[in-house]
Amino acid sequence: MRPPTSQDELTTDWLTSVVNAQGLGPAQVRSFDAELLSGEQGMTGQVARLRLHYREDRPGLPATLIAKSSAAEPVARALVSALGFYEREVRFYETLSSRTPVPKPRCYYSHLDSESGCALLLLEDLAAARNGNSIAGSSLDEISRVLLALAVLHATWWEAADVANASWLRLRSLLAPEVMADSFTRSWPSLLQKLSIPVTSQISEMGEWIEQNLHAAATTLFDSGLRTLIHNDVQADNLFFRDDGEVIFIDWQLATYARCVIDVAFWIRGQLEPEIRRPVEPQLLRLYHDALVANGVRDYGFEQCRSDYELATVLAPARLACAVGLSGVQAHPGAFWDTWLPRYPD
């Protein structure tokens, strides 16, 4: 049976084969409904909830699945494919997920057509858990829980040859470390024009600070020193929280091999308002480092961790500038960048 390359090609027979291949059958999908989440095409693709209706219901059969597919529009798909987003996430689920001991959705199916850039994932539906909200921010308890989970992720893949030698994990195109500074310089004026909040002196000075430090930060943190597998997009929208304290990580499209504190800086700086963050930032970094050591990392001292963290704080606002400034998204009051950008300055 030819594998589908988009949600439009899904059939009941093919979904039946996927469910049975997972050892959940015998089952037969009689029909299914697809609901596009958020009601619109995403920036990098489509995410839909599939509601499966079986001829005979049995315990353990998934009532819903999440279908994540590449962008339908060829130009957009080619751009995202060139950035390596689709390949990175598909390969993560196929080769690294089972050995990565942090909670993530169960993957029922993965496929990538390298020529067309078409990709499809069928993932566990996490609707029973609470999805984070990057605009609302996160509580200190949530911040701490995620830091402890990140320490497990980073310690597991610390200096591991599997990820160090995986060329598909390398950031490409506009996100490549060696061109990040140039991408930022081109995108920053456009981001400022799209803000609906005042461009304060603090924001202007932050832009100058990023421009002065971004190249050194990117080439140092991604290309040298003690490195590991990082998620590289740790924000609340990419996390689900269960009542039992478990944190589930989704969206592995930006995963790469780099210094661990990139994830830590993205998470702390992106989720806390500055007046809340500043008094607790040293303790949060210490919490993370203690957990890293407790999980077996012995060659990365706290002073190095703190120095790398300070260097990494330049990356998140720079990526925000590139994502918004170089994209076709239009300015509108209350956009997410109005909330995120003021969180990053010291």
Side-chain angles (χ1 to χ4, degrees):
M1 188 180 299
R2 188 179 73 85
T5 58
S6 70
Q7 295 172 24
D8 294 338
E9 297 180 1
L10 297 179
T11 66
T12 54
D13 287 345
W14 183 81
L15 287 169
T16 295
S17 70
V18 168
V19 172
N20 287 325
Q22 293 290 319
L24 303 175
Q28 185 174 4
V29 179
R30 172 175 49 84
S31 63
F32 69 95
D33 305 310
E35 171 196 2
L36 196 61
L37 298 185
S38 301
E40 59 185 19
Q41 170 86 6
M43 292 180 66
T44 63
Q46 295 184 90
V47 179
R49 174 173 287 115
L50 308 180
R51 300 187 184 279
L52 307 183
H53 310 289
Y54 299 93
R55 292 202 180 278
E56 294 183 26
D57 283 324
R58 289 189 182 87
L61 294 178
T64 58
L65 292 173
I66 298 299
K68 185 174 184 179
S69 59
S70 48
E73 203 279 313
V75 173
R77 185 171 66 244
L79 174 62
V80 178
S81 182
L83 290 167
F85 283 22
Y86 304 138
E87 180 182 12
R88 207 171 284 115
E89 187 163 39
V90 166
R91 287 187 179 270
F92 168 79
Y93 279 110
E94 289 180 348
T95 65
L96 302 182
S97 178
S98 64
R99 294 177 288 156
T100 302
V102 295
K104 60 270 170 194
R106 176 177 179 175
C107 183
Y108 288 81
Y109 174 82
S110 61
H111 176 71
L112 173 68
D113 184 328
S114 57
E115 291 187 6
S116 67
C118 291
L120 179 65
L121 290 167
L122 287 188
L123 301 170
E124 174 189 0
D125 188 358
L126 301 173
R130 176 178 58 83
N131 192 193
N133 185 313
S134 296
I135 299 300
S138 301
S139 68
L140 288 175
D141 175 66
E142 290 169 340
I143 295 291
S144 298
R145 286 159 59 186
V146 173
L147 290 176
L148 295 177
L150 286 173
V152 174
L153 167 66
H154 298 153
T156 298
W157 291 106
W158 195 259
E159 289 284 279
D162 288 30
V163 291
N165 298 326
S167 60
W168 56 270
L169 279 172
R170 176 74 181 176
L171 297 178
R172 310 176 196 165
S173 188
L174 299 174
L175 297 178
E178 62 271 18
V179 301
M180 281 186 188
D182 179 63
S183 299
F184 171 78
T185 299
R186 293 188 289 118
S187 62
W188 182 249
S190 176
L191 172 65
L192 296 183
Q193 292 177 355
K194 293 177 181 180
L195 291 175
S196 57
I197 58 174
V199 179
T200 63
S201 59
Q202 192 175 40
I203 290 176
S204 297
E205 290 168 3
M206 180 173 63
E208 296 171 2
W209 166 69
I210 294 171
E211 194 162 22
Q212 293 167 5
N213 293 282
L214 181 56
H215 180 73
T219 53
T220 298
L221 296 171
F222 287 103
D223 290 341
S224 68
L226 298 169
R227 286 164 289 168
T228 185
L229 177 70
I230 66 169
H231 181 277
N232 203 26
D233 197 13
V234 186
Q235 53 165 304
D237 292 331
N238 288 336
L239 300 169
F240 281 78
F241 298 88
R242 295 195 193 275
D243 292 340
D244 62 3
E246 185 178 68
V247 181
I248 307 168
F249 290 74
I250 67 168
D251 201 341
W252 294 84
Q253 291 185 337
L254 281 166
T256 191
Y257 184 66
R259 297 199 195 183
C260 57
V261 290
I262 294 174
D263 278 346
V264 179
F266 269 53
W267 175 238
I268 295 175
R269 289 290 179 109
Q271 293 303 301
L272 293 174
E273 300 301 328
E275 62 273 14
I276 298 173
R277 166 177 53 82
R278 291 182 184 119
V280 299
E281 200 164 16
Q283 296 97 306
L284 291 172
L285 187 58
R286 177 63 77 174
L287 173 73
Y288 165 77
H289 185 264
D290 287 348
L292 196 65
V293 172
N295 281 280
V297 174
R298 299 286 187 266
D299 53 357
Y300 190 61
F302 180 71
E303 289 307 315
Q304 184 65 60
C305 180
R306 185 174 65 178
S307 176
D308 287 349
Y309 177 86
E310 292 172 356
L311 200 59
T313 58
V314 74
L315 296 176
R319 183 189 293 172
L320 175 65
C322 294
V324 175
L326 297 179
S327 73
V329 295
Q330 300 301 310
H332 58 88
F336 67 87
W337 50 85
D338 290 340
T339 300
W340 280 2
L341 193 63
R343 288 177 179 166
Y344 295 119
D346 276 326

